[in-house]
Amino acid sequence: MRSRGAVFAPFFHFLPMKREFIYRAEVGSTNSELKAVVRASAAPVTAVLRAGAQSGGRGRQNKAFYSPAGGVYFSAAFPLSGDETNIAFLTLLSGLAVCRALESMSPAPYRIKWPNDIYVNGKKICGILTELVSVGTRLTAVVGVGVNTRLEQNEIPPALSSVMTSLKAEGLRAPDPDALVKTAVSLLDHYVYDLRALSGNTAAFAKELNARAYLTGKTVAVDTGSETVAGTVTGISPAGLLMLDTAQGSAEILSGTVTEIHI
Ligand code: BTN
């Protein structure tokens, strides 16, 4: 029995995990709530928390994420094995999973705006925030996704209406929230399973990421935190970096905030 366990244990470790789906009508932030659950738990957490609305939804760089009733807001916990070296790639995989889930329920050309947004018809429809929680030696990624589904055009704040949209505002069908969350999380679990089976070789996903890359061909300025890099986007690298043609030659950006420059 011992040797059977030794043979099969790693295999089970890689299987898409069992998930508990939790719904709350309103929370501050599903990411913050789930991170608190992870911190308080002695065992690995694989729960998915969805909220009908968030009073303190958060985006990258601690920006507020507008989260009224009528959107789909959820966070999923991923216990990490410790071998993962490219956590930023989880955000891109989440983008792929959400694009695929949306496409299967409400067909439209969904595009990934590197590193963490989904666009449709040139406007943001979804934002993704991946955060890490470490408890002792245990590391867990919490992936938070916010999709604007049922908001009417007149419910989108005027200050955001030039950059943000919703499925309804685009004349698209708003899917059942539970079905959307379950489909997206299941797809993401399978991507993570595949990535682990490929020993973390992200290159296998590059083709689909590039087929969905919103920024390719666009002139942009990327604020990396330490500098601003301007250039034309040539695609997403096999490791998930943003590739640019700049006046100084080619550049690859690991993380940053991208602004389109309209010339
Ligand atoms: C961004 O636009 O920069 C990322 C937005 C991420 C929003 C989602 S909604 C569910 C989860 N809870 C949060 O507070 N943020 C994420």
Side-chain angles (χ1 to χ4, degrees):
M1 286 306 280
R2 277 180 75 86
S3 65
R4 261 177 68 108
V7 171
F8 288 109
F11 179 69
F12 280 121
H13 173 72
F14 288 144
L15 280 176
M17 56 200 101
K18 205 168 167 353
R19 298 279 194 184
E20 179 195 4
F21 290 84
I22 304 162
Y23 173 73
R24 303 259 302 274
E26 179 167 338
V27 298
S29 150
T30 55
N31 264 35
S32 302
E33 294 275 325
L34 196 55
K35 280 164 64 181
V37 171
V38 171
R39 281 195 202 97
S41 169
V45 174
T46 57
V48 178
L49 172 63
R50 175 170 86 79
Q54 299 182 118
S55 55
R58 297 183 291 106
R60 286 175 71 237
Q61 298 166 327
N62 263 327
K63 287 192 184 136
F65 185 78
Y66 182 58
S67 315
V72 175
Y73 314 106
F74 68 95
S75 300
F78 283 85
L80 301 177
S81 64
D83 300 333
E84 296 86 355
T85 52
N86 190 351
I87 297 302
F89 205 77
L90 193 53
T91 305
L92 291 172
L93 285 185
S94 306
L96 276 189
V98 175
C99 280
R100 280 245 179 125
L102 283 171
E103 219 164 63
S104 69
M105 299 172 162
S106 193
Y110 299 99
R111 298 282 174 259
I112 293 175
K113 178 177 180 252
W114 183 96
N116 71 312
D117 291 335
I118 296 177
Y119 271 43
V120 70
N121 301 334
K123 290 183 181 179
K124 176 168 170 167
I125 196 139
C126 167
I128 300 168
L129 175 68
T130 303
E131 298 182 292
L132 289 179
V133 188
S134 78
V135 182
T137 54
R138 257 192 312 115
L139 201 58
T140 305
V142 170
V143 177
V145 178
V147 190
N148 303 322
T149 52
R150 288 172 205 273
L151 286 186
E152 302 284 354
Q153 182 66 55
N154 63 10
E155 291 176 296
I156 298 175
L160 297 176
S161 66
S162 64
V163 286
M164 169 186 159
T165 191
S166 77
L167 293 174
K168 212 158 182 191
E170 294 303 314
L172 297 164
R173 181 178 160 265
D176 172 72
D178 275 330
L180 176 60
V181 173
K182 284 183 178 154
T183 305
V185 171
S186 163
L187 284 165
L188 181 54
D189 281 346
H190 280 88
Y191 288 149
V192 170
Y193 169 79
D194 289 346
L195 184 58
R196 284 178 169 159
L198 290 166
S199 306
N201 184 357
T202 53
F205 298 92
K207 194 169 166 203
E208 190 177 346
L209 281 173
N210 277 293
R212 293 185 184 277
Y214 169 77
L215 291 170
T216 301
K218 296 194 161 60
T219 305
V220 299
V222 189
D223 178 359
T224 67
S226 55
E227 59 175 340
T228 299
V229 184
T232 304
V233 176
T234 55
I236 298 173
S237 80
L241 280 61
L242 188 71
M243 301 189 296
L244 292 178
D245 254 352
T246 77
Q248 288 75 40
S250 56
E252 292 195 351
I253 314 272
L254 180 60
S255 77
T257 301
V258 182
T259 309
E260 269 182 73
I261 299 171
H262 299 279
I263 27 180

